[in-house]
Amino acid sequence: MSESVIADFVASFNSERSARAEPVKGRVLLSQKRLVLAADDSKTTIPLSSIFDVAVGHVPPDLGDFFDSTVTVAFEKGNDRFVAVVEADDDTIEKFSTVLFKALLNGTDTTVQHPAEIGGRVTDSEYVPAKLFLDPKGVKFKRQGDTVTVSLAAVTKFERSTREIAGSERAVLSVRHMPDGQAMTTVAAIPSARKLSLLGRYLRLEYSDLMAELKDIELADPEIELLVAVYSTGDMDGIPLANVLDREASEVTMLVNDLSEKDLLTTGEAGPTLTPKGRVVVNRHLEDVNE
């Protein structure tokens, strides 16, 4: 491979162009242009431009000793569609899937309208060219002069729809999020239907990971009040949370400790701050209140 390699590891995979083949052990090599599955007696080369879907199968931690996690890549060759499956431990698969999505999507040309809506009100923002880049738990749209960042912790809804852009109907991804407690919508159009589909897949995967982490968390009203207070008083340094909540300081300390154990808050010298999971909880609460 003449281009630089961005991932190189040993894994099991089906090196045939069919998921029915028995997995073999070999090297997985990824560059900005292609994915290569190299076994002793065979080599499968998959141009990244031919990949139209990526699925990630994580194994629950308690089953990790028995089963591997997987990345399934669907691609086209000629007029046919094939599937290749790469199996490895959960950590390796997580890193590989992130690098693969970045190789597939980073630098993609998009047309972005931001904000398309603020608080449910449609704006007159223009659609402007931007480049797409993936972030940990989010995406960035780099426009001339600024960058629009969409953090998944702030997302309350995303959907695929169509909008009229420059006189023609275009497929778009519409993302509703609350970056600063105010609901807004960002709309992105990507000329390539394949890349729009891959971006949707990436967002669903990342978002479902966040939701899975929150599934078993139960919160009492005082805990939700405290999370919202931390969110709201982020710019009000020096005001004790006990004053904001009208509660005893000892009770607030206990609530902060409980929420830290649930990985919804972190505490530092400047006081408690929300974790990404904490931001999701607050944004979903605010969305419910505003509806």
Side-chain angles (χ1 to χ4, degrees):
M1 296 167 77
S2 55
E3 61 269 15
S4 61
V5 174
I6 52 178
D8 180 355
F9 59 97
V10 174
S12 294
F13 48 79
N14 63 328
S15 58
E16 303 297 318
R17 291 196 295 271
S18 156
R20 288 185 295 275
E22 281 296 307
V24 296
K25 202 152 193 154
R27 280 176 74 191
V28 177
L29 298 117
L30 175 68
S31 76
Q32 298 288 2
K33 292 184 179 176
R34 71 202 80 209
L35 172 64
V36 177
L37 309 176
D40 285 344
D41 56 353
S42 63
K43 184 170 89 168
T44 300
T45 300
I46 304 168
L48 296 194
S49 58
S50 72
I51 295 174
F52 63 88
D53 198 9
V54 176
V56 182
H58 287 298
V59 175
D62 52 337
L63 294 177
D65 292 340
F66 304 98
F67 299 102
D68 277 337
S69 296
T70 59
V71 168
T72 303
V73 176
F75 61 101
E76 293 178 322
K77 194 172 177 78
N79 294 321
D80 294 321
R81 291 184 161 194
F82 300 99
V83 172
V85 181
V86 176
E87 296 180 29
D89 64 81
D90 201 55
D91 192 42
T92 300
I93 287 299
E94 191 159 328
K95 288 175 182 167
F96 172 54
S97 61
T98 299
V99 174
L100 178 59
F101 272 114
K102 283 184 174 181
L104 288 165
L105 291 170
N106 274 2
T108 296
D109 288 319
T110 64
T111 307
V112 174
Q113 184 189 28
H114 173 85
E117 293 177 15
I118 296 179
R121 193 185 79 254
V122 176
T123 72
D124 57 2
S125 298
E126 298 283 330
Y127 281 94
V128 295
K131 296 263 189 201
L132 166 70
F133 292 91
L134 303 189
D135 249 6
K137 301 288 183 215
V139 294
K140 283 180 177 169
F141 298 99
K142 291 189 178 179
R143 304 186 289 191
Q144 189 169 6
D146 75 341
T147 298
V148 176
T149 301
V150 177
S151 164
L152 281 182
V155 168
T156 54
K157 183 182 181 184
F158 54 89
E159 62 184 356
R160 192 168 168 165
S161 60
T162 56
R163 298 277 175 106
E164 188 174 308
I165 304 174
S168 63
E169 286 289 312
R170 298 270 302 277
V172 300
L173 194 68
S174 174
V175 183
R176 184 176 166 88
H177 52 124
M178 302 180 71
D180 298 303
Q182 184 173 39
M184 64 172 62
T185 302
T186 301
V187 176
I190 300 178
S192 162
R194 179 181 71 86
K195 289 198 172 186
L196 183 64
S197 179
L198 284 166
L199 175 59
R201 172 67 89 175
Y202 171 76
L203 290 173
R204 283 196 301 277
L205 278 168
E206 292 287 297
Y207 195 67
S208 63
D209 282 353
L210 260 179
M211 292 300 106
E213 290 173 15
L214 291 171
K215 185 165 55 76
D216 299 324
I217 293 177
E218 291 184 7
L219 297 173
D221 287 346
E223 291 177 310
I224 293 172
E225 279 176 31
L226 190 143
L227 289 173
V228 172
V230 170
Y231 182 89
S232 306
T233 58
D235 300 326
M236 298 166 65
D237 289 341
I239 299 179
L241 270 175
N243 292 12
V244 177
L245 293 167
D246 195 21
R247 292 180 185 275
E248 293 293 325
S250 57
E251 186 185 355
V252 170
T253 301
M254 210 163 65
L255 286 169
V256 167
N257 290 341
D258 288 346
L259 290 166
S260 296
E261 282 180 22
K262 292 175 180 177
D263 194 26
L264 299 175
L265 284 181
T266 56
T267 51
E269 287 180 15
T273 54
L274 295 172
T275 64
K277 283 200 286 191
R279 286 183 66 86
V280 174
V281 170
V282 171
N283 282 319
R284 292 175 87 190
H285 172 74
L286 294 175
E287 181 83 354
D288 290 343
V289 168
N290 292 334
E291 281 188 350

